[in-house]
Amino acid sequence: MRTELAQVDPDNPDPLIIERAANLILAGEVVAFPTETVYGLGANALNPTAVEKIFAAKGRPSFNPLIVHVLDEFSAIQLCTEWPTPAHLLVHAFWPGPLSIVLPKLDLVPSITTGGLQTVALRSPSNAVARELLVATKVPIAAPSANRSTLLSPTTAQHVASQLDGIVPLVLDAGQTTGGIESTILDLTAEYPRILRPGPVTPTDIEAVIGVAPELPRGPVEQITAPGMMEVHYAPRTRLRILKPDESPPPSSGAMLLGKSPCGAQHIQMPNEPAEYARLLYATLHKLDQAVVPEIVVEFPPDTPAWSAIRDRLRRASGKQV
Ligand code: TXA
Ligand code: MG
């Protein structure tokens, strides 16, 4: 299959390109497109044959559920058996944006989309290209990150092409994503809300809206749905290691540093601000992964709530669970 990269204006996408992408999705194909977090690989969430193509393209195990993207609260309610008050408050505060909420699903949502679970993760993206695609297709779009399973998430169309060239028909290229790391996933199916994956919307943000502090992850979200099955996640091909507090980066390594001084050609000073760091995280890992280095070392950011999503992604990239 030939993969086409179509340039689109991130703020004002060309309707003809959106229509082409929408027609592919309505015909049961997959299309890679930008969201404000990372690029997604989308298909009609209600068409099991189309969703199957996402799993095949990614090499993703069938038990790992997909996030379903919707235009707004109204479209989300059509897919769930209940819509509790916290869901209403949270989507009012954070949609469109990087918060996915998990609720019990209606039968309308095929079980392949939710990895066999009776719940569905829903999110309304703010990126204009993603939104126009939802408007044009009028269907919910299931979209995991547009990378091969276990490899690095893509924040540019070139990252997508480097992993999925020849496997997907169309990649909408709107340049680098603005957010950089995947959405926060919040489970609202139990008595207390629980964060399954930390992300841009923090526990403090959530507590401010619903008046209850969410429980924190027991482990990476993949452990919850499939205990112990997926050790390495969001990982570069090159081995990644977290530096000890008193350790200097080896000069031959690729390095992502905060306070420590660079002393090698592939040592990169990262921003000291979490949102800026997040925006560059995957792009930097992709770059270091392409440089020929024996290992990538990372100076671990501070253990504060503002850095927790980034610490989570770095930990997973190193293959560690804790
Ligand atoms: O920012 C994002 O969330 C990006 C963009 C494309 O929207 N998507 C993304 O999808 O990160 P993915 O498939 O790479 O990660 C989705 C995670 C998976 O780890 C999956 O286990 C979890 O969401 N998930 C999906 N549905 C779930 C459910 N019903 N219950 C628990 N976890 C769920
Ligand atoms: Mg992913």
Side-chain angles (χ1 to χ4, degrees), residues 35 37-40 58 60 64-67 69 100 102 114 117 119-121 123 143-145 181-183 185 196-197 221-222 225 234:
T35 79
T37 59
V38 300
Y39 275 71
K58 283 184 62 95
R60 181 172 175 120
N64 196 357
L66 308 178
I67 291 177
H69 296 69
S100 301
V102 175
T114 61
L117 298 174
T119 57
V120 60
R123 134 169 153 82
S145 49
I181 58 171
E182 303 85 349
S183 63
I185 304 179
L196 300 180
R197 178 176 71 185
V221 61
E222 289 76 11
T225 51
Y234 308 89

Side-chain angles (χ1 to χ4, degrees), residues 86 186-188 190-195 206 210 212-216:
L186 184 71
D187 184 358
L188 289 178
E191 192 180 344
Y192 286 101
R194 176 187 295 281
I195 293 190
I206 291 168
I210 57 174
V212 182
E215 292 180 6
L216 298 176

Side-chain angles (χ1 to χ4, degrees), residues 292-312:
V292 184
V293 287
E295 62 171 352
I296 298 171
V297 294
V298 173
E299 186 176 344
F300 214 29
D303 187 5
T304 60
W307 288 98
S308 73
I310 291 165
R311 286 167 61 95
D312 168 80

Side-chain angles (χ1 to χ4, degrees), residues 39 41 57-58 144-154 160 163-164 182:
Y39 275 71
L41 184 60
K58 283 184 62 95
S145 49
N147 51 279
R148 297 276 299 165
S149 187
T150 79
L151 295 184
L152 282 179
S153 297
V160 178
Q163 296 189 28
L164 296 175
E182 303 85 349

Side-chain angles (χ1 to χ4, degrees), residues 149-282:
S149 187
T150 79
L151 295 184
L152 282 179
S153 297
T155 54
T156 67
Q158 287 68 37
H159 297 157
V160 178
S162 74
Q163 296 189 28
L164 296 175
D165 190 34
I167 299 176
V168 300
L170 178 63
V171 181
L172 298 181
D173 177 359
Q176 182 163 349
T177 63
T178 51
I181 58 171
E182 303 85 349
S183 63
T184 305
I185 304 179
L186 184 71
D187 184 358
L188 289 178
T189 61
E191 192 180 344
Y192 286 101
R194 176 187 295 281
I195 293 190
L196 300 180
R197 178 176 71 185
V201 177
T202 66
T204 321
D205 297 335
I206 291 168
E207 184 177 359
V209 170
I210 57 174
V212 182
E215 292 180 6
L216 298 176
R218 289 203 189 96
V221 61
E222 289 76 11
Q223 276 194 330
I224 293 158
T225 51
M229 291 297 289
M230 310 178 82
E231 297 274 280
V232 181
H233 259 266
Y234 308 89
R237 292 184 171 93
T238 312
R239 192 172 84 97
L240 183 144
R241 182 167 70 77
I242 289 165
L243 285 170
K244 297 187 190 75
D246 56 357
E247 189 185 354
S248 302
S252 64
S253 66
M256 289 166 69
L257 304 174
L258 284 165
K260 294 180 195 287
S261 306
C263 58
Q266 298 295 339
H267 289 189
I268 294 169
Q269 198 80 51
M270 296 298 288
N272 252 311
E273 199 278 312
E276 269 300 295
Y277 192 114
R279 208 169 58 78
L280 299 179
L281 171 65
Y282 288 124

